Amino acid sequence: MADVIHAWHPDVPLVQEVLHAQFEHHAYPSHTHDSWTVLLVDQGTVTYDLDRHEHQTTNSTVTLLPPQVPHDGRSATPDVPFRKRVLYLEPEWLSLSAVDAAAEAPTLFDPSVTSTVDQIHAALNDPADVLAAECGVLALRELVQPHLKSPVDIASDKPLARRLRHLLDDRLDETFTIAEAAAQSGFHDQSHLTRHFRRTLGTTPGVFAA
């Protein structure tokens, strides 16, 4: 069975690209997008690593991959093809504050989200249905947002970053890892810390320490 790929750039606000594809053996290497990736797998199962954590798609659920977070993708069962539909949405479709929550829990177990994504694809298949597609993308944002409550509240980002800064200042003559510093500052892991640190102070912990 040959791979089948159909990709296009619809004239719909907030939509960068649409991809409908079926792959038999293809596996994606680790990569990033500058967009929000909304993935719906219609056939088969896809296993993927997102920010170094393994996940798997499930039937009738939508996967949301945040911008600039590394991920790959492959069939969960060798030699079994998978068929998928993907929306690539502009980074401003959701607030960047939602990136961490999406990276930690990319699967959306919500039938209304799945139904809305399906309706968007149906509208995108008809060039005359641009308004319906745009309305669907906006409705999808409202449905997705409640699922993306970050475990670290935005109001607490700056105090956490300041705690890390003080830790670095107090221990400049000691040898310790960024991972040990992340844990003591209340973050889940080093990548979680780095994203919040860069967003708050404009640089990475390693550059700041240097």
Side-chain angles (χ1 to χ4, degrees), residues 48-89:
Y48 62 96
D49 292 329
L50 177 65
D51 202 19
R52 296 177 299 176
H53 297 285
E54 186 173 274
H55 300 273
Q56 190 172 88
T57 62
T58 59
N59 292 334
S60 302
T61 61
V62 168
T63 299
L64 180 65
L65 306 179
Q68 306 303 337
V69 178
H71 60 277
D72 57 15
R74 56 208 171 272
S75 175
T77 307
D79 300 322
V80 175
F82 64 90
R83 181 163 49 88
K84 66 176 185 175
R85 290 177 288 167
V86 189
L87 300 172
Y88 297 99
L89 304 179

Side-chain angles (χ1 to χ4, degrees), residues 125-185:
N125 280 327
D126 185 351
D129 224 355
V130 170
L131 181 59
E134 181 180 1
C135 290
V137 170
L138 297 177
L140 180 63
R141 177 168 59 191
E142 298 304 312
L143 290 170
V144 164
Q145 284 175 333
H147 296 275
L148 300 177
K149 300 298 184 182
S150 176
V152 178
D153 187 82
I154 298 305
S156 67
D157 285 353
K158 291 185 179 179
L160 280 172
R162 283 197 293 268
R163 286 171 58 193
L164 174 63
R165 182 183 63 194
H166 294 323
L167 180 65
L168 293 171
D169 289 341
D170 293 342
R171 300 188 180 183
L172 287 177
D173 58 345
E174 296 182 31
T175 299
F176 62 94
T177 67
I178 295 296
E180 181 266 343
Q184 289 198 14
S185 300

